[in-house]
Amino acid sequence: MNNANTFKSKEEKVTEYHVRQIVSYIIYCYLQILADKKTYDYSEKGKIAKEEFLRNGLVNDYLQKSYNKKYYKQYISDNPSVEITFHPEETMTYNDSETQILSTDKIDISIWENSLQAIWSEKSDNEIRFAVECKRIKKLSDALNYISDTENFCFRNYVNTRLAFEGQIAFIEDIMMSCSKLKEKINEILLNHETIITSQFLEPVVLNDKFEGTYLSKHLRVSNKQYFSVYHLFFDYSSIVVN
Protein backbone atom coordinates (compact mmCIF):
# COMPACT_ATOMS: atom_id res chain seq x y z
CA MET A 1 0.00 0.00 0.00
CA ASN A 2 2.95 2.33 0.45
CA ASN A 3 3.19 2.61 -3.34
CA ALA A 4 0.00 4.65 -3.27
CA ASN A 5 2.01 7.47 -1.71
CA THR A 6 4.97 7.31 -4.09
CA PHE A 7 3.54 9.47 -6.85
CA LYS A 8 2.71 12.92 -5.54
CA SER A 9 1.59 15.89 -7.56
CA LYS A 10 3.65 19.06 -7.59
CA GLU A 11 1.04 20.71 -5.37
CA GLU A 12 1.26 17.89 -2.82
CA LYS A 13 5.06 18.05 -2.65
CA VAL A 14 5.11 21.81 -2.14
CA THR A 15 2.20 21.57 0.29
CA GLU A 16 4.06 19.00 2.38
CA TYR A 17 7.10 21.29 2.45
CA HIS A 18 5.04 24.14 3.88
CA VAL A 19 3.09 21.90 6.27
CA ARG A 20 6.38 20.70 7.74
CA GLN A 21 7.34 24.35 8.32
CA ILE A 22 4.06 24.96 10.16
CA VAL A 23 4.54 21.83 12.27
CA SER A 24 8.09 22.97 13.03
CA TYR A 25 6.67 26.28 14.26
CA ILE A 26 4.22 24.50 16.59
CA ILE A 27 7.17 22.56 18.02
CA TYR A 28 9.12 25.80 18.44
CA CYS A 29 6.24 27.31 20.44
CA TYR A 30 6.03 24.21 22.65
CA LEU A 31 9.75 24.54 23.39
CA GLN A 32 9.10 28.18 24.30
CA ILE A 33 6.47 27.01 26.79
CA LEU A 34 9.10 24.81 28.42
CA ALA A 35 11.72 27.57 28.36
CA ASP A 36 9.26 29.99 29.98
CA LYS A 37 8.35 27.37 32.62
CA LYS A 38 4.75 28.21 31.76
CA THR A 39 2.03 26.37 33.66
CA TYR A 40 -1.72 26.00 33.20
CA ASP A 41 -3.68 25.60 36.42
CA TYR A 42 -6.98 23.76 35.96
CA SER A 43 -8.35 25.58 39.00
CA GLU A 44 -8.27 28.74 36.87
CA LYS A 45 -10.01 27.34 33.79
CA GLY A 46 -13.51 28.40 34.84
CA LYS A 47 -16.12 26.73 32.63
CA ILE A 48 -13.64 25.90 29.89
CA ALA A 49 -13.09 22.19 29.25
CA LYS A 50 -9.58 21.04 30.21
CA GLU A 51 -8.59 20.10 26.66
CA GLU A 52 -9.77 23.47 25.35
CA PHE A 53 -7.99 25.24 28.21
CA LEU A 54 -4.66 23.73 27.10
CA ARG A 55 -5.44 24.28 23.41
CA ASN A 56 -6.35 27.93 24.00
CA GLY A 57 -3.16 28.48 25.96
CA LEU A 58 -1.03 27.09 23.14
CA VAL A 59 -2.81 29.22 20.54
CA ASN A 60 -3.35 32.49 22.39
CA ASP A 61 -0.20 32.58 24.50
CA TYR A 62 2.26 31.29 21.90
CA LEU A 63 1.17 30.47 18.33
CA GLN A 64 -0.56 33.80 17.78
CA LYS A 65 2.02 36.02 19.48
CA SER A 66 3.55 38.53 17.04
CA TYR A 67 7.11 37.94 18.23
CA ASN A 68 6.77 34.19 17.68
CA LYS A 69 5.30 34.78 14.23
CA LYS A 70 8.28 37.04 13.50
CA TYR A 71 10.57 34.13 14.37
CA TYR A 72 8.54 31.95 11.98
CA LYS A 73 9.08 34.44 9.16
CA GLN A 74 12.78 34.87 9.78
CA TYR A 75 13.97 31.41 10.76
CA ILE A 76 11.44 28.72 9.78
CA SER A 77 9.50 29.79 6.68
CA ASP A 78 11.28 30.31 3.36
CA ASN A 79 9.00 33.30 2.73
CA PRO A 80 9.98 36.41 4.77
CA SER A 81 6.60 38.03 4.02
CA VAL A 82 4.57 34.98 5.03
CA GLU A 83 1.35 35.50 6.98
CA ILE A 84 -0.07 32.85 9.28
CA THR A 85 -3.11 32.77 11.57
CA PHE A 86 -4.50 30.25 14.04
CA HIS A 87 -8.21 29.78 14.71
CA PRO A 88 -9.43 27.66 17.65
CA GLU A 89 -12.67 25.74 17.26
CA GLU A 90 -13.32 26.77 13.67
CA THR A 91 -16.23 24.93 12.07
CA MET A 92 -16.41 23.34 8.64
CA THR A 93 -18.99 21.13 6.96
CA TYR A 94 -18.63 17.46 6.14
CA ASN A 95 -20.86 14.74 4.74
CA ASP A 96 -20.97 11.68 6.96
CA SER A 97 -19.74 8.68 4.93
CA GLU A 98 -22.27 6.31 6.54
CA THR A 99 -25.40 8.44 6.94
CA GLN A 100 -24.78 10.88 4.05
CA ILE A 101 -26.04 13.63 6.36
CA LEU A 102 -24.33 17.02 6.48
CA SER A 103 -22.70 17.71 9.84
CA THR A 104 -20.41 20.25 11.50
CA ASP A 105 -16.71 19.51 11.89
CA LYS A 106 -15.17 21.49 14.76
CA ILE A 107 -11.43 21.85 14.19
CA ASP A 108 -9.41 22.31 17.37
CA ILE A 109 -6.79 24.49 15.63
CA SER A 110 -7.42 25.65 12.08
CA ILE A 111 -4.32 27.17 10.48
CA TRP A 112 -4.28 29.53 7.51
CA GLU A 113 -1.02 30.43 5.79
CA ASN A 114 -0.80 32.51 2.62
CA SER A 115 1.91 30.29 1.11
CA LEU A 116 -0.40 27.28 1.35
CA GLN A 117 -3.27 29.36 0.02
CA ALA A 118 -1.22 30.40 -3.02
CA ILE A 119 -0.39 26.79 -3.88
CA TRP A 120 -4.06 25.84 -4.14
CA SER A 121 -5.53 29.14 -5.40
CA GLU A 122 -5.90 27.81 -8.94
CA LYS A 123 -7.31 24.49 -7.76
CA SER A 124 -9.91 25.75 -5.30
CA ASP A 125 -11.96 28.86 -4.49
CA ASN A 126 -11.98 27.87 -0.81
CA GLU A 127 -9.67 29.22 1.86
CA ILE A 128 -7.19 26.45 2.56
CA ARG A 129 -6.71 25.27 6.13
CA PHE A 130 -4.27 22.91 7.83
CA ALA A 131 -6.28 21.21 10.56
CA VAL A 132 -4.85 20.13 13.91
CA GLU A 133 -6.83 18.14 16.48
CA CYS A 134 -5.87 17.94 20.16
CA LYS A 135 -6.37 15.34 22.88
CA ARG A 136 -5.34 15.05 26.52
CA ILE A 137 -3.51 11.85 27.42
CA LYS A 138 -3.91 11.13 31.13
CA LYS A 139 -3.31 7.38 30.90
CA LEU A 140 -2.19 4.98 28.18
CA SER A 141 -5.74 3.83 27.40
CA ASP A 142 -6.53 7.41 26.26
CA ALA A 143 -4.71 6.45 23.07
CA LEU A 144 -8.02 4.97 21.90
CA ASN A 145 -9.70 8.37 22.21
CA TYR A 146 -6.73 9.97 20.46
CA ILE A 147 -7.24 7.64 17.49
CA SER A 148 -10.84 8.80 17.13
CA ASP A 149 -9.55 11.95 15.40
CA THR A 150 -7.59 9.83 12.93
CA GLU A 151 -10.78 7.87 12.27
CA ASN A 152 -12.67 11.10 11.62
CA PHE A 153 -10.03 12.15 9.09
CA CYS A 154 -10.61 8.84 7.30
CA PHE A 155 -14.39 8.80 7.17
CA ARG A 156 -15.55 12.40 6.94
CA ASN A 157 -16.29 13.59 3.41
CA TYR A 158 -15.32 17.24 3.68
CA VAL A 159 -17.36 19.66 1.59
CA ASN A 160 -14.52 22.18 1.17
CA THR A 161 -11.01 21.45 -0.04
CA ARG A 162 -9.09 19.36 2.48
CA LEU A 163 -5.33 18.94 2.31
CA ALA A 164 -3.75 15.49 2.15
CA PHE A 165 -2.07 16.38 5.46
CA GLU A 166 -3.58 16.55 8.93
CA GLY A 167 -2.19 17.26 12.38
CA GLN A 168 -2.75 15.80 15.84
CA ILE A 169 -1.41 16.95 19.20
CA ALA A 170 -1.29 14.84 22.35
CA PHE A 171 -1.02 16.72 25.64
CA ILE A 172 0.64 14.02 27.79
CA GLU A 173 -0.14 14.65 31.46
CA ASP A 174 1.36 11.43 32.87
CA ILE A 175 4.96 12.03 33.95
CA MET A 176 5.70 8.30 33.62
CA MET A 177 4.53 8.05 30.00
CA SER A 178 7.17 8.35 27.28
CA CYS A 179 6.48 9.38 23.70
CA SER A 180 7.72 6.01 22.48
CA LYS A 181 5.33 4.15 24.79
CA LEU A 182 2.38 6.18 23.51
CA LYS A 183 3.51 5.65 19.92
CA GLU A 184 3.68 1.89 20.44
CA LYS A 185 0.18 1.84 21.95
CA ILE A 186 -1.30 3.86 19.09
CA ASN A 187 0.36 1.61 16.51
CA GLU A 188 -1.02 -1.43 18.33
CA ILE A 189 -4.53 0.03 18.12
CA LEU A 190 -4.11 0.92 14.44
CA LEU A 191 -2.80 -2.56 13.65
CA ASN A 192 -5.98 -4.12 15.02
CA HIS A 193 -8.42 -1.40 13.98
CA GLU A 194 -11.38 -2.72 11.98
CA THR A 195 -12.05 0.38 9.87
CA ILE A 196 -8.94 2.59 9.68
CA ILE A 197 -6.77 1.51 6.76
CA THR A 198 -3.15 2.36 7.55
CA SER A 199 -0.36 2.27 4.97
CA GLN A 200 2.27 3.62 7.39
CA PHE A 201 2.14 3.32 11.14
CA LEU A 202 3.54 6.09 13.31
CA GLU A 203 7.23 6.54 12.53
CA PRO A 204 9.58 9.14 14.06
CA VAL A 205 10.26 12.31 12.08
CA VAL A 206 12.90 14.85 13.10
CA LEU A 207 11.81 18.43 12.47
CA ASN A 208 13.67 19.96 15.40
CA ASP A 209 16.87 18.58 16.92
CA LYS A 210 15.64 19.53 20.40
CA PHE A 211 12.36 17.61 20.14
CA GLU A 212 11.83 13.87 19.66
CA GLY A 213 8.05 13.63 19.84
CA THR A 214 7.17 14.03 16.15
CA TYR A 215 5.69 11.09 14.23
CA LEU A 216 4.16 10.56 10.79
CA SER A 217 1.46 8.08 9.78
CA LYS A 218 -0.50 7.52 6.57
CA HIS A 219 -4.09 6.36 6.12
CA LEU A 220 -6.81 5.97 3.50
CA ARG A 221 -9.47 8.67 3.17
CA VAL A 222 -12.63 6.76 2.29
CA SER A 223 -14.38 9.59 0.44
CA ASN A 224 -11.77 9.93 -2.32
CA LYS A 225 -9.83 6.67 -1.93
CA GLN A 226 -6.63 8.66 -1.50
CA TYR A 227 -3.99 8.30 1.17
CA PHE A 228 -3.26 11.21 3.49
CA SER A 229 -0.57 11.89 6.08
CA VAL A 230 -0.92 12.77 9.75
CA TYR A 231 1.78 14.64 11.65
CA HIS A 232 1.58 13.65 15.32
CA LEU A 233 3.08 15.86 18.04
CA PHE A 234 3.44 14.33 21.50
CA PHE A 235 3.91 17.16 23.99
CA ASP A 236 4.94 16.35 27.56
CA TYR A 237 2.61 18.52 29.65
CA SER A 238 3.28 16.74 32.93
CA SER A 239 5.23 19.76 34.25
CA ILE A 240 2.97 22.30 32.52
CA VAL A 241 -0.40 21.20 33.86
CA VAL A 242 -1.28 22.04 37.46
CA ASN A 243 -4.16 19.97 38.78
Side-chain angles (χ1 to χ4, degrees), residues 76-232:
I76 298 178
S77 175
D78 61 345
N79 178 8
S81 61
V82 68
E83 296 296 333
I84 188 169
T85 58
F86 300 83
H87 309 272
E89 207 73 14
E90 186 174 52
T91 60
M92 298 183 73
T93 303
Y94 73 93
N95 196 335
D96 188 278
S97 298
E98 294 184 357
T99 65
Q100 303 303 314
I101 296 175
L102 290 179
S103 303
T104 297
D105 178 32
K106 293 184 178 180
I107 302 171
D108 285 333
I109 307 175
S110 178
I111 303 169
W112 178 89
E113 198 224 49
N114 61 342
S115 295
L116 274 180
Q117 184 67 41
I119 295 168
W120 292 92
S121 60
E122 295 183 3
K123 295 277 187 178
S124 173
D125 293 330
N126 300 316
E127 284 197 341
I128 303 302
R129 298 286 195 266
F130 174 54
V132 177
E133 300 294 343
C134 306
K135 285 288 187 291
R136 295 171 60 221
I137 304 293
K138 307 177 294 299
K139 54 187 182 300
L140 198 56
S141 60
D142 288 334
L144 188 60
N145 188 35
Y146 178 88
I147 285 300
S148 67
D149 284 326
T150 308
E151 189 171 17
N152 288 339
F153 293 149
C154 292
F155 288 94
R156 289 181 174 178
N157 182 9
Y158 300 100
V159 173
N160 296 320
T161 302
R162 191 82 171 198
L163 298 177
F165 303 93
E166 309 283 1
Q168 290 188 236
I169 294 176
F171 298 120
I172 302 175
E173 300 181 31
D174 183 353
I175 194 172
M176 301 301 294
M177 189 186 305
S178 66
C179 291
S180 59
K181 183 180 292 187
L182 178 58
K183 182 261 293 184
E184 291 170 3
K185 182 62 176 179
I186 290 173
N187 279 341
E188 176 187 322
I189 295 171
L190 289 172
L191 179 63
N192 298 290
H193 206 281
E194 295 181 355
T195 56
I196 298 176
I197 298 176
T198 300
S199 64
Q200 176 183 309
F201 295 95
L202 274 71
E203 295 181 0
V205 176
V206 179
L207 297 181
N208 186 310
D209 292 339
K210 298 179 180 179
F211 181 73
E212 298 180 351
T214 309
Y215 300 90
L216 182 69
S217 66
K218 299 181 181 180
H219 313 275
L220 182 70
R221 195 158 349 244
V222 172
S223 60
N224 60 10
K225 307 302 180 184
Q226 298 293 318
Y227 285 89
F228 67 96
S229 300
V230 180
Y231 282 92
H232 304 263

Side-chain angles (χ1 to χ4, degrees), residues 16-34:
E16 183 170 24
Y17 177 73
H18 286 283
V19 164
R20 288 169 73 94
Q21 291 180 339
I22 294 172
V23 175
S24 296
Y25 175 63
I26 298 173
I27 295 170
Y28 168 78
C29 287
Y30 166 69
L31 294 177
Q32 290 302 109
I33 293 176
L34 296 180

Side-chain angles (χ1 to χ4, degrees), residues 10-73:
K10 178 182 177 181
E11 288 85 1
E12 287 177 316
K13 290 179 180 178
V14 180
T15 297
E16 183 170 24
Y17 177 73
H18 286 283
V19 164
R20 288 169 73 94
Q21 291 180 339
I22 294 172
V23 175
S24 296
Y25 175 63
I26 298 173
I27 295 170
Y28 168 78
C29 287
Y30 166 69
L31 294 177
Q32 290 302 109
I33 293 176
L34 296 180
D36 292 345
K37 299 187 183 323
K38 178 72 173 179
T39 59
Y40 290 96
D41 190 336
Y42 283 147
S43 68
E44 299 174 354
K45 71 179 184 61
K47 295 183 179 180
I48 303 173
K50 291 180 178 179
E51 179 186 300
E52 295 174 7
F53 184 61
L54 299 182
R55 186 271 318 276
N56 291 350
L58 175 61
V59 173
N60 299 328
D61 298 339
Y62 288 89
L63 295 176
Q64 277 284 50
K65 290 298 185 185
S66 58
Y67 48 82
N68 284 333
K69 289 186 180 183
K70 183 177 180 181
Y71 182 92
Y72 179 68
K73 290 183 179 184

